[in-house]
Amino acid sequence: MEGIIQFLPFWAAYLVCALTGYWCWNRMFFWLAADSDVRRFVRMIGAVLLFTPAPIAQDSNYFAPVLVVLPFTAISEGVNTALYALNWLLAALCIGVLVLGIHQLLLWIRGRLQPE
Protein backbone atom coordinates (compact mmCIF):
# COMPACT_ATOMS: atom_id res chain seq x y z
CA MET A 1 0.00 0.00 0.00
CA GLU A 2 2.92 2.34 0.62
CA GLY A 3 3.70 2.23 -3.10
CA ILE A 4 0.31 3.75 -3.90
CA ILE A 5 0.60 6.47 -1.24
CA GLN A 6 4.21 7.28 -2.10
CA PHE A 7 3.36 7.85 -5.77
CA LEU A 8 -0.03 9.47 -5.21
CA PRO A 9 0.43 12.33 -7.74
CA PHE A 10 1.25 9.82 -10.47
CA TRP A 11 -1.72 7.65 -9.53
CA ALA A 12 -3.94 10.74 -9.66
CA ALA A 13 -2.65 11.53 -13.15
CA TYR A 14 -3.25 7.91 -14.18
CA LEU A 15 -6.78 8.06 -12.75
CA VAL A 16 -7.60 11.11 -14.87
CA CYS A 17 -6.20 9.42 -17.98
CA ALA A 18 -7.96 6.12 -17.17
CA LEU A 19 -11.28 7.91 -16.69
CA THR A 20 -10.79 9.54 -20.08
CA GLY A 21 -9.95 6.15 -21.56
CA TYR A 22 -13.02 4.60 -19.94
CA TRP A 23 -15.19 7.35 -21.40
CA CYS A 24 -13.71 6.61 -24.84
CA TRP A 25 -14.23 2.87 -24.26
CA ASN A 26 -17.92 3.48 -23.58
CA ARG A 27 -18.26 5.65 -26.68
CA MET A 28 -16.77 2.90 -28.86
CA PHE A 29 -19.82 0.75 -28.21
CA PHE A 30 -22.46 3.34 -29.10
CA TRP A 31 -24.13 0.85 -31.43
CA LEU A 32 -25.17 -1.41 -28.53
CA ALA A 33 -28.47 -0.67 -26.82
CA ALA A 34 -27.98 1.56 -23.79
CA ASP A 35 -29.61 -0.85 -21.34
CA SER A 36 -28.42 -4.13 -22.86
CA ASP A 37 -26.61 -6.81 -20.89
CA VAL A 38 -23.89 -7.03 -23.52
CA ARG A 39 -23.10 -3.33 -23.15
CA ARG A 40 -22.92 -3.69 -19.35
CA PHE A 41 -20.52 -6.62 -19.76
CA VAL A 42 -18.31 -4.71 -22.20
CA ARG A 43 -18.26 -1.71 -19.84
CA MET A 44 -17.20 -4.00 -16.99
CA ILE A 45 -14.33 -5.41 -19.07
CA GLY A 46 -13.12 -1.88 -19.85
CA ALA A 47 -13.25 -0.91 -16.17
CA VAL A 48 -11.33 -4.02 -15.14
CA LEU A 49 -8.64 -3.45 -17.76
CA LEU A 50 -8.12 0.20 -16.88
CA PHE A 51 -8.58 0.31 -13.10
CA THR A 52 -7.07 -2.94 -11.75
CA PRO A 53 -3.71 -2.52 -10.01
CA ALA A 54 -1.11 -5.26 -9.57
CA PRO A 55 2.26 -5.43 -7.77
CA ILE A 56 5.18 -4.69 -10.08
CA ALA A 57 6.93 -7.85 -8.86
CA GLN A 58 5.55 -10.93 -7.14
CA ASP A 59 5.98 -9.81 -3.51
CA SER A 60 6.43 -6.09 -4.07
CA ASN A 61 4.77 -3.26 -2.18
CA TYR A 62 4.70 -1.11 -5.30
CA PHE A 63 1.72 -1.25 -7.63
CA ALA A 64 1.08 -0.38 -11.25
CA PRO A 65 -1.90 -0.94 -13.56
CA VAL A 66 -2.20 -4.61 -14.47
CA LEU A 67 -2.55 -3.55 -18.10
CA VAL A 68 1.09 -2.42 -17.87
CA VAL A 69 2.48 -5.03 -15.47
CA LEU A 70 1.26 -8.14 -17.29
CA PRO A 71 2.75 -7.57 -20.76
CA PHE A 72 6.02 -6.02 -19.58
CA THR A 73 6.66 -8.76 -17.03
CA ALA A 74 5.83 -11.40 -19.64
CA ILE A 75 8.25 -9.83 -22.12
CA SER A 76 11.11 -9.17 -19.70
CA GLU A 77 10.94 -12.18 -17.37
CA GLY A 78 8.80 -14.74 -19.15
CA VAL A 79 5.17 -15.77 -19.18
CA ASN A 80 5.44 -18.05 -16.14
CA THR A 81 6.73 -15.19 -14.02
CA ALA A 82 3.88 -12.92 -15.17
CA LEU A 83 1.15 -15.29 -14.00
CA TYR A 84 0.85 -13.51 -10.65
CA ALA A 85 -0.39 -10.41 -12.50
CA LEU A 86 -2.86 -12.55 -14.42
CA ASN A 87 -4.26 -13.68 -11.07
CA TRP A 88 -4.98 -10.04 -10.17
CA LEU A 89 -6.71 -9.52 -13.51
CA LEU A 90 -8.80 -12.68 -13.20
CA ALA A 91 -9.79 -11.80 -9.64
CA ALA A 92 -10.97 -8.37 -10.80
CA LEU A 93 -12.92 -9.99 -13.66
CA CYS A 94 -14.60 -12.38 -11.21
CA ILE A 95 -15.56 -9.48 -8.95
CA GLY A 96 -16.90 -7.60 -11.97
CA VAL A 97 -19.01 -10.58 -13.09
CA LEU A 98 -20.30 -10.98 -9.53
CA VAL A 99 -21.32 -7.32 -9.40
CA LEU A 100 -23.02 -7.65 -12.80
CA GLY A 101 -24.88 -10.72 -11.59
CA ILE A 102 -26.11 -8.92 -8.47
CA HIS A 103 -27.17 -5.95 -10.61
CA GLN A 104 -29.06 -8.26 -12.97
CA LEU A 105 -30.76 -9.96 -10.02
CA LEU A 106 -31.86 -6.60 -8.62
CA LEU A 107 -33.24 -5.58 -12.03
CA TRP A 108 -35.14 -8.87 -12.24
CA ILE A 109 -36.59 -8.44 -8.75
CA ARG A 110 -37.60 -4.86 -9.48
CA GLY A 111 -39.30 -5.98 -12.70
CA ARG A 112 -41.22 -8.70 -10.89
CA LEU A 113 -42.39 -6.38 -8.09
CA GLN A 114 -43.67 -3.63 -10.37
CA PRO A 115 -47.39 -3.88 -11.15
CA GLU A 116 -48.35 -4.27 -14.79
Side-chain angles (χ1 to χ4, degrees), residues 28-50:
M28 279 191 336
F29 299 100
F30 66 91
W31 47 273
L32 292 172
D35 59 346
S36 72
D37 296 334
V38 176
R39 187 166 183 173
R40 285 188 200 107
F41 185 75
V42 168
R43 290 177 69 192
M44 182 269 304
I45 289 175
V48 165
L49 287 175
L50 289 173

Side-chain angles (χ1 to χ4, degrees), residues 34-81:
D35 59 346
S36 72
D37 296 334
V38 176
R39 187 166 183 173
R40 285 188 200 107
F41 185 75
V42 168
R43 290 177 69 192
M44 182 269 304
I45 289 175
V48 165
L49 287 175
L50 289 173
F51 298 114
T52 303
I56 58 172
Q58 184 136 3
D59 291 321
S60 177
N61 289 331
Y62 297 102
F63 287 79
V66 75
L67 192 62
V68 174
V69 172
L70 186 62
F72 284 109
T73 305
I75 290 171
S76 65
E77 298 177 23
V79 175
N80 290 335
T81 308

